[in-house]
Amino acid sequence: MDLLPYFQSFEATFIGTKVRESLWMFPVIECVHLLALGLLGGAAFVLDLRLLGIGLRDQAPPDLERKLHPWLRASIAMLILTGVPMFLSEAIKCYYSPPFWYKIGGLILAIIFTFTVRRRVAARTADKAPVIALASIALWMGVAFAGRWIAFY
Amino acid sequence: MVEFFQWLEATGGSVAIRESILLYPIIESTHVLTLCLFFGFIALMDLRLVGIALRGVPVSQITSRIQPFGVAGFVIMVISGALLFYSSPMRAYGNIFFRVKLVLIALAGINALLFHKTIFKSVDDWNDALQPPPRARLAGLLSLVFWSGVVICGRMQAYKWFD
């Protein structure tokens, strides 16, 4: 299946064109994307550290999960909301960029994992769940790393 | 200072990073990814001080258990940032965003120092408060503003708008 025509039409969308032709829109969206990335890191890793048995050890994982989940959800929403217009503005470049495909694959995995396995485990675990924590850290760092490398390859 | 930076830019290490296909991207992405550690942890601590995140978790627990990871992130940030600067000092030197960024880092540092020297000393009195006292909330808010500004300036540094 050849996806290139779809990516060409993504790039031709109104938003894609607007962002590409504007001098300031891409940088501004990118800044918000980065701030949201930082927040995602905080919201995800504070719970992951707890699941590793370090960090906020005096808090029960289910409590911490409940408190951090809204921040995690909000930062992911903000990342997608800012990521989509950046993608639309350079969809064809993304099509030819290997890091882009790794990023999308990793992102889908990370979201499914976070909202199903990790969430359920954290809601029931009394103490540690190191494998879940390490998987979460590796997935999100992988997605962020691949995202940064879209600019290089 | 310009002469020193020009000399620095001509050193072997600087040229090596600048011209390397892998080294520069690796240092650069380490710098950016550490945002998740440094900015993320600091932001959550600040949001707790402001009184909107992690309510119910004692403030002293967050500072003693999360802050070390934030500090570790800061160290990686400074080392990778210094290497990035070393790779092209002249470009950074003349960049307005870089200069504003340095000022904001200094302001964030002063804010953190003042917080620890003043209101944080009485943390035992408001450790469990859902909303910490106004001075602590202000320190959290200022920290969020300064560090967000640092992230924004860091990103904008790549664009040579006012050079």
Side-chain angles (χ1 to χ4, degrees):
Chain A
M1 187 171 62
D2 187 13
L3 293 172
L4 185 57
Y6 293 100
F7 281 68
Q8 283 164 340
S9 52
F10 288 148
E11 185 146 334
T13 52
F14 175 73
I15 294 176
T17 311
K18 273 274 173 250
V19 174
R20 189 170 51 252
E21 286 174 354
S22 160
L23 180 68
W24 58 270
M25 276 173 95
F26 196 94
V28 168
I29 296 171
E30 211 174 14
C31 285
V32 179
H33 197 70
L34 267 181
L35 291 172
L37 172 72
L39 192 60
L40 166 78
F45 299 160
V46 166
L47 178 59
D48 288 331
L49 285 177
R50 173 63 190 85
L51 293 176
L52 284 173
I54 45 182
L56 293 171
R57 273 177 312 191
D58 297 328
Q59 301 294 317
D63 273 354
L64 216 45
E65 197 280 329
R66 225 178 8 257
K67 288 186 176 113
L68 288 169
H69 194 74
W71 295 95
L72 188 66
R73 212 170 34 198
S75 57
I76 292 174
M78 191 54 82
L79 279 162
I80 293 175
L81 211 63
T82 49
V84 168
M86 287 198 291
F87 160 70
L88 291 175
S89 80
E90 49 174 32
I92 297 172
K93 178 195 156 183
C94 289
Y95 177 82
Y96 291 109
S97 161
F100 170 77
W101 294 101
Y102 287 118
K103 176 184 177 153
I104 294 301
L107 178 65
I108 293 168
L109 279 178
I111 288 178
I112 294 174
F113 177 78
T114 300
F115 288 93
T116 57
V117 181
R118 180 176 177 272
R119 197 169 185 202
R120 273 174 214 171
V121 170
R124 280 177 206 163
T125 307
D127 192 23
K128 293 184 213 171
V131 178
I132 300 293
L134 289 175
S136 163
I137 293 170
L139 276 170
W140 285 117
M141 286 308 241
V143 172
F145 188 81
R148 185 63 194 87
W149 279 59
I150 296 174
F152 297 127
Y153 291 97
Chain B
M1 204 142 74
V2 175
E3 278 170 23
F4 171 68
F5 288 152
Q6 279 167 344
W7 171 81
L8 198 64
E9 192 158 292
T11 56
S14 175
V15 176
I17 299 174
R18 196 164 58 238
E19 293 182 352
S20 162
I21 297 171
L22 275 180
L23 220 48
Y24 188 86
I26 287 174
I27 300 171
E28 161 87 324
S29 21
T30 306
H31 193 67
V32 175
L33 257 66
T34 313
L35 264 185
C36 297
L37 283 175
F38 175 58
F39 180 79
F41 288 153
I42 297 285
L44 270 182
M45 285 196 282
D46 292 338
L47 290 168
R48 172 64 184 95
L49 285 179
V50 173
I52 52 178
L54 293 171
R55 290 164 62 120
V57 180
V59 172
S60 64
Q61 257 184 42
I62 298 183
T63 49
S64 63
R65 297 275 163 73
I66 294 300
Q67 196 160 271
F69 294 98
V71 171
F74 184 73
V75 171
I76 303 173
M77 215 66 173
V78 169
I79 294 172
S80 54
L83 285 171
L84 288 175
F85 175 79
Y86 173 51
S87 77
S88 43
M90 284 309 291
R91 199 177 75 184
Y93 176 76
N95 188 291
I96 184 72
F97 293 113
F98 180 71
R99 295 180 175 196
V100 175
K101 180 176 171 175
L102 289 186
V103 173
L104 287 171
I105 293 173
L107 288 174
I110 294 169
N111 179 51
L113 193 71
L114 283 178
F115 169 72
H116 280 279
K117 292 269 177 218
T118 59
I119 189 77
F120 187 67
K121 288 210 181 294
S122 64
V123 68
D124 290 339
D125 301 335
W126 48 273
N127 210 2
D128 295 312
L130 293 185
Q131 282 216 345
R135 286 197 60 182
R137 301 183 71 198
L138 179 67
L141 186 66
L142 284 176
S143 173
L144 276 174
V145 171
F146 291 147
W147 286 119
S148 300
V150 171
V151 173
I152 290 169
C153 285
R155 179 57 262 190
M156 296 306 288
Q157 221 180 302
Y159 299 95
K160 299 170 198 78
W161 281 4
F162 305 106
D163 284 13

